[in-house]
Amino acid sequence: MAVKGLGAIDQEYDGSKLRIGILHARWNKEIIESLVEGAKKKLLEFNVKPENIVVETVPGSFELPYGSKLFYEKAAKEGKPLDAIIPIGVLIKGSTMHFEYICDSVTHQLMKLNFELGVPVIFGVLTCITEEQAQARAGLIEGKMHNHGEDWGAAAVEMATKFN
Ligand SMILES: Nc1c(NC[C@H](O)[C@H](O)[C@H](O)CO)[nH]c(=O)[nH]c1=O
Ligand SMILES: CC(=O)[C@@H](O)COP(=O)(O)O
């Protein structure tokens, strides 16, 4: 039995008043699509209204931190503020150091964004050595692992409501 995963939820969370932004990279399309579906599915299970799940895209994972900031600011300016953002990206190791630099910078900038924006910015980025690892974490390999997008949806609702 695997020990990894979010574990049992500590209380009930109601996302019915939340507006959640999902910003996903367009690299590694099939895996991304599955992760986005997983996140959406979980948001709906937590009663987030379909019309309050806003999906936008950026080219690659490197664009996720700045894209998230622009996404947040645009929504606020339009009077439809986001209560949490789920940036989703899939980084797969190639043959150069590109992977390490992107993983490191994106992770740090997303963490910083939580404090800069004052809303939860979830870490929805897979940093995988192989494509198979990414597929497994997107729930695309039967019987292997669960879709991690679901964890990200649940984390967004919990973090946007827990301390309010
Ligand atoms: N190799 C991967 C990338 N690379 C693209 C960069 O994220 C970026 O869009 C480009 O350098 C322009 O600034 N992105 C991923 O999301 N996943 C990869 O595996
Ligand atoms: C995530 C990456 O950086 C990547 O797939 C780039 O591949 P490479 O290092 O072969 O250019």
Side-chain angles (χ1 to χ4, degrees), residues 18-141:
L18 299 179
R19 195 171 153 79
I20 309 284
I22 295 177
L23 182 71
H24 70 81
R26 296 192 297 270
W27 269 72
N28 304 308
K29 187 169 181 283
E30 189 201 359
I31 301 169
I32 285 281
E33 279 174 359
S34 182
L35 292 165
V36 169
E37 281 317 303
K40 278 194 198 165
K41 173 177 163 249
K42 202 45 97 173
L43 292 174
L44 295 170
E45 277 175 31
F46 279 92
N47 300 323
V48 179
K49 298 191 179 90
E51 64 269 28
N52 287 334
I53 303 174
V54 194
V55 181
E56 265 297 347
T57 76
V58 287
S61 294
F62 188 76
E63 283 70 43
L64 286 173
Y66 189 52
S68 295
K69 182 173 153 68
L70 296 178
F71 189 23
Y72 177 81
E73 289 172 347
K74 181 167 183 271
K77 208 154 60 181
E78 289 170 349
K80 295 174 178 174
L82 298 171
D83 298 294
I85 302 177
I86 310 176
I88 296 183
V90 175
L91 287 158
I92 300 173
K93 171 93 182 128
S95 48
T96 70
M97 289 294 288
H98 199 237
F99 172 80
E100 281 78 1
Y101 284 109
I102 299 190
C103 289
D104 191 53
S105 58
V106 168
T107 304
H108 282 102
Q109 280 304 124
L110 290 179
M111 172 56 88
K112 275 175 67 183
L113 259 194
N114 282 271
F115 297 92
E116 285 171 19
L117 300 182
V119 294
V121 179
I122 302 307
F123 187 51
V125 182
L126 295 183
T127 56
C128 298
I129 307 301
T130 66
E131 196 174 312
E132 192 188 350
Q133 287 176 345
Q135 288 166 333
R137 285 154 182 79
L140 290 171
I141 303 180

